[in-house]
Amino acid sequence: MNRKEIPMNTLQKTLHIVDRATGAVDKIVQIAIVALFVILFALLNVQVAMRYVVRIPIIWIEELAGFLFAYLTVWGSSSCIRTDGHVRVSFLMERFSHPGGRHALSILSHAVLLVYLYYLVIYGYQFAAMGAGQITPSGAFDFFLPRLSLTTGGILMIIQ
């Protein structure tokens, strides 16, 4: 019997729908990452030209570049979680010769990651809220949105 002909049970259907939804979220995040990278690259080129050619640097570009980099980092981490692209230390996994031990360690590591991400979302938002109303040295930005990258990145990582 062909695999496509095997009927899926309710759990398999639900997992398939969830996987497709999280895949769609990941595609949107990847598009946003590319857009942020292009904007970051363009801003830094403008800054270099203004600083060394025109000799009038634009201060807020450096701040915005740092904020965009924060979003790139945490959003990129969520995409790496989906594709299993993170660097890992595998010496513990290699110590387990039995597949059940490896599976248990994998579940444990994912559980620890979920707890960490939960705290990242909660305390990341509190950290962002502390920055609400505080203006950057250039006077161009409020600290709330750049700090919100921790919360949005944590949510995206939990989704993946």
Side-chain angles (χ1 to χ4, degrees):
M1 186 176 222
N2 190 348
R3 178 149 172 85
K4 292 182 180 180
E5 296 172 13
I6 298 173
M8 292 195 294
N9 64 30
T10 306
L11 178 61
Q12 288 173 326
K13 287 179 184 177
T14 304
L15 291 175
H16 181 70
I17 291 169
V18 169
D19 186 53
R20 287 180 54 121
T22 58
V25 169
D26 188 49
K27 290 292 181 198
I28 293 168
V29 168
Q30 288 178 4
I31 291 168
I33 288 170
V34 170
L36 288 176
F37 184 76
V38 168
I39 292 167
L40 178 64
F41 184 76
L43 284 173
L44 291 177
N45 279 314
V46 166
Q47 179 67 344
V48 167
M50 292 300 291
R51 181 178 300 264
Y52 295 108
V53 177
V54 181
R55 303 228 184 254
I56 304 172
I58 303 172
I59 298 170
W60 60 266
I61 287 181
E62 292 178 29
E63 291 175 346
L64 183 57
F67 301 153
L68 291 176
F69 187 73
Y71 277 94
L72 281 170
T73 302
V74 292
W75 289 1
S77 292
S78 77
S79 190
C80 283
I81 285 176
R82 177 161 184 83
T83 60
D84 203 25
H86 279 289
V87 174
R88 66 181 64 220
V89 180
S90 60
F91 73 92
L92 277 178
M93 197 65 83
E94 293 168 358
R95 297 278 183 223
F96 289 97
S97 59
H98 190 272
R102 289 183 182 188
H103 186 68
L105 185 60
S106 178
I107 290 172
L108 177 65
S109 69
H110 282 88
V112 169
L113 177 62
L114 282 173
V115 170
Y116 167 76
L117 293 174
Y118 169 78
Y119 284 109
L120 181 67
V121 169
I122 299 301
Y123 291 111
Y125 184 78
Q126 290 178 5
F127 180 61
M130 287 184 341
Q134 294 180 1
I135 304 299
T136 60
S138 71
F141 304 101
D142 183 285
F143 275 113
F144 178 75
L145 286 176
R147 291 180 177 178
L148 197 60
S149 65
L150 295 171
T151 302
T152 59
I155 291 169
L156 290 170
M157 286 182 242
I158 289 170
I159 290 170
Q160 297 307 325

